[in-house]
Amino acid sequence: MFHAFLIKYAEIGIKGKNRYLFEDALVSQIERALKKVDGVFKVTKEMGRIYVNAEGDYDYDEAVEALQRVFGISGICPVVIVQDTGFEDLKKEVVDYVGEVYPNSTQSFKMCSRRARKNYPLDSMELNAELGEAILDAYPEMSVDVHKPEISITVEVRQKIYIYSKVIPGPGGMPVGTSGKAMLLLSGGIDSPVAGYMISKRGVVIEAVYFHAPPYTSERAKDKVVDLAKKVARYSGSIRLRIVNFTEIQLAIYDNCPHDELTIIMRRYMMKIAERFAVEAGCQGLITGESIGQVASQTMQSLACTNEVCALPVFRPLIAFDKQDIIDIANKIDTYETSVLPYEDCCTIFVAKHPVTKPSLKKIKNSEKRLDGIIEEMLDRAVETAEIIEVDE
């Protein structure tokens, strides 16, 4: 019975004079998400409301699933839209709606009428009373509860009349494309795909870089990262993924630097390369999946050493999350099972047995001097030979 959806948003509603820009971005993202759904859809914006109208047959479940991946949507309401042909016809439409959506119902309900068109002959209170009475007459086993109803039936009187009662939760956040662009350091682990999802939820367009270390890491490790990028792209939109051959740089660090500092030094060079790509792509920052104290390279001192090499800001959306918090989101966005596949990435191959947890920046810089004269060419080569993959959902 549903051939339209009312799209609800939250934060966009407080954007003042710029609100229309966010609404337009949300419309664009909805249209993008529905392109792969079976059916033809028209997205319209009317008087502070966004509607999705299905033209002809369509896959309802697939459409709802697609809309639930559009950041900026707080609720999805399947809605029946009727022409205003008089109040008696409206009463019949509302009674039919309840019978169709809640057959054999004994639930309590509340009417929530809104009269946006002020020349309508009944005001909101009168609509609630008259429509509620019509429902009770048709379904006497139902009851009214204005405080804690099991069902809230909304009727909005506009140029047309909109009837709905179900609100399917959306992902919240802000429409992608309204908050700039950033470069995600993506690995095959649990954390970084979640970080990409979280930063996208705030409206940021993401690109990504993955550090590959053949032959120490297999093609399956690379394929795993591409699969993770696809899962994130279901929410963020297409992602340009750069795959960097990091083997030469890792071996140089391993051969020349103290082993307890390997992870920190490797991370610093990863950040340098990621920043070069970020500047080239017009990004405003870098994104990592780091969380304070999770591993040796994520202590406050380690993060400070890593940050020092970057001019761009480094955003860490998971910085205060417990591991279980991150796992819960990974399960929600369907990245967890892929992340735990046993294909190691370059970070885990060269891990020291006893990594430093409170590195001294001065000592780290002194250790890096051992790479002078060789590392610059390696960095250039890694950037120039990076493989670029356009990842879509």
Side-chain angles (χ1 to χ4, degrees):
M1 67 182 297
F2 297 111
H3 287 274
F5 299 95
L6 163 64
I7 303 300
K8 293 192 171 187
Y9 52 71
E11 280 185 68
I12 292 175
I14 61 172
K15 290 300 179 184
K17 293 181 180 179
N18 289 329
R19 176 169 156 179
Y20 76 96
L21 297 173
F22 293 88
E23 289 177 335
D24 290 347
L26 182 55
V27 167
S28 176
Q29 290 300 312
I30 291 170
E31 290 172 340
R32 175 193 65 79
L34 291 173
K35 277 183 180 178
K36 295 188 177 181
V37 176
D38 184 21
V40 178
F41 302 91
K42 183 178 181 181
V43 185
T44 59
K45 192 173 71 164
E46 303 172 23
M47 298 174 63
R49 290 286 192 272
I50 293 175
Y51 297 98
V52 175
N53 294 278
E55 300 178 355
D57 294 335
Y58 73 104
D59 189 317
Y60 173 88
D61 292 332
E62 193 180 352
V64 170
E65 185 180 337
L67 291 170
Q68 285 185 298
R69 297 195 298 269
V70 178
F71 292 132
I73 294 178
S74 64
I76 304 154
C77 304
V79 62
V80 170
I81 304 175
V82 298
Q83 298 288 345
D84 179 12
T85 55
F87 184 66
E88 290 303 314
D89 287 343
L90 176 58
K91 281 201 293 188
K92 183 178 183 305
E93 293 284 358
V94 171
V95 168
D96 289 346
Y97 172 90
V98 173
E100 182 79 20
V101 179
Y102 304 103
N104 305 315
S105 177
T106 59
Q107 294 169 291
S108 63
F109 75 95
K110 174 184 178 181
M111 288 302 306
C112 302
S113 301
R114 297 172 185 167
R115 188 183 64 158
R117 180 155 51 89
K118 299 304 180 186
N119 62 354
Y120 195 76
L122 282 76
D123 65 24
S124 297
M125 295 295 290
E126 291 169 331
L127 281 167
N128 286 338
E130 294 287 340
L131 294 175
E133 183 180 6
I135 292 171
L136 288 174
D137 288 343
Y139 311 105
E141 65 278 11
M142 297 183 74
S143 61
V144 173
D145 185 341
V146 297
H147 299 294
K148 293 183 179 179
E150 295 170 277
I151 304 168
S152 290
I153 303 167
T154 300
V155 174
E156 291 190 4
V157 179
R158 296 173 178 269
Q159 293 306 313
K160 297 179 181 178
I161 298 176
Y162 301 82
I163 307 166
Y164 63 92
S165 60
K166 294 181 180 291
V167 182
I168 302 165
M174 299 294 291
V176 173
T178 58
S179 302
K181 186 194 294 188
M183 182 67 63
L184 171 67
L185 280 78
L186 182 63
S187 74
I190 298 169
D191 303 336
S192 58
V194 173
Y197 163 86
M198 292 293 290
I199 209 80
S200 267
K201 186 175 180 178
R202 298 309 305 159
V204 178
V205 174
I206 59 172
E207 299 199 7
V209 55
Y210 164 61
F211 295 92
H212 193 41
Y216 302 99
T217 53
S218 67
E219 282 298 303
R220 287 188 175 185
K222 183 174 87 170
D223 294 342
K224 171 183 168 180
V225 171
V226 173
D227 289 342
L228 288 171
K230 287 180 181 178
K231 290 181 180 293
V232 175
R234 297 172 76 203
Y235 295 88
S236 68
S238 60
I239 297 171
R240 174 169 288 187
L241 173 63
R242 295 162 175 82
I243 298 173
V244 176
N245 188 325
F246 201 59
T247 308
E248 185 180 32
I249 294 170
Q250 277 196 293
L251 289 174
I253 296 169
Y254 188 84
D255 291 340
N256 292 282
C257 298
H259 283 198
D260 64 339
E261 298 174 354
L262 287 178
T263 305
I264 296 297
I265 294 174
M266 287 178 189
R267 289 289 294 174
R268 282 167 61 86
Y269 281 104
M270 287 178 179
M271 299 293 271
K272 286 182 180 182
I273 291 172
E275 186 173 52
R276 286 175 64 169
F277 287 132
V279 171
E280 176 187 282
C283 297
Q284 287 81 48
L286 305 177
I287 314 159
T288 76
E290 292 160 316
S291 170
I292 291 176
Q294 187 174 158
V295 293
S297 64
Q298 296 178 23
T299 64
M300 290 290 281
Q301 294 87 345
S302 297
L303 295 176
C305 281
T306 305
N307 274 16
E308 191 272 340
V309 300
C310 299
L312 288 178
V314 182
F315 301 111
R316 297 179 170 94
L318 311 183
I319 194 69
F321 280 36
D322 291 339
K323 191 65 178 185
Q324 191 58 51
D325 297 332
I326 300 169
I327 290 172
D328 290 345
I329 298 174
N331 279 315
K332 173 185 169 183
I333 64 175
D334 193 31
T335 57
Y336 179 77
E337 293 300 329
T338 304
S339 291
V340 297
L341 291 173
Y343 309 127
E344 302 288 5
D345 63 25
C346 64
C347 293
T348 57
I349 298 297
F350 293 94
V351 171
K353 289 183 179 179
H354 302 288
V356 61
T357 58
K358 296 181 179 179
S360 159
L361 181 57
K362 184 177 179 180
K363 285 184 66 178
I364 294 292
K365 286 188 168 184
N366 282 334
S367 297
E368 288 178 345
K369 287 179 181 177
R370 304 178 189 187
L371 301 169
D372 288 350
I374 59 171
I375 198 71
E376 289 75 14
E377 288 186 8
M378 293 181 184
L379 288 172
D380 291 341
R381 200 153 39 240
V383 170
E384 291 165 4
T385 61
E387 177 186 0
I388 298 177
I389 301 176
E390 299 290 343
V391 178
D392 206 351
E393 59 182 275

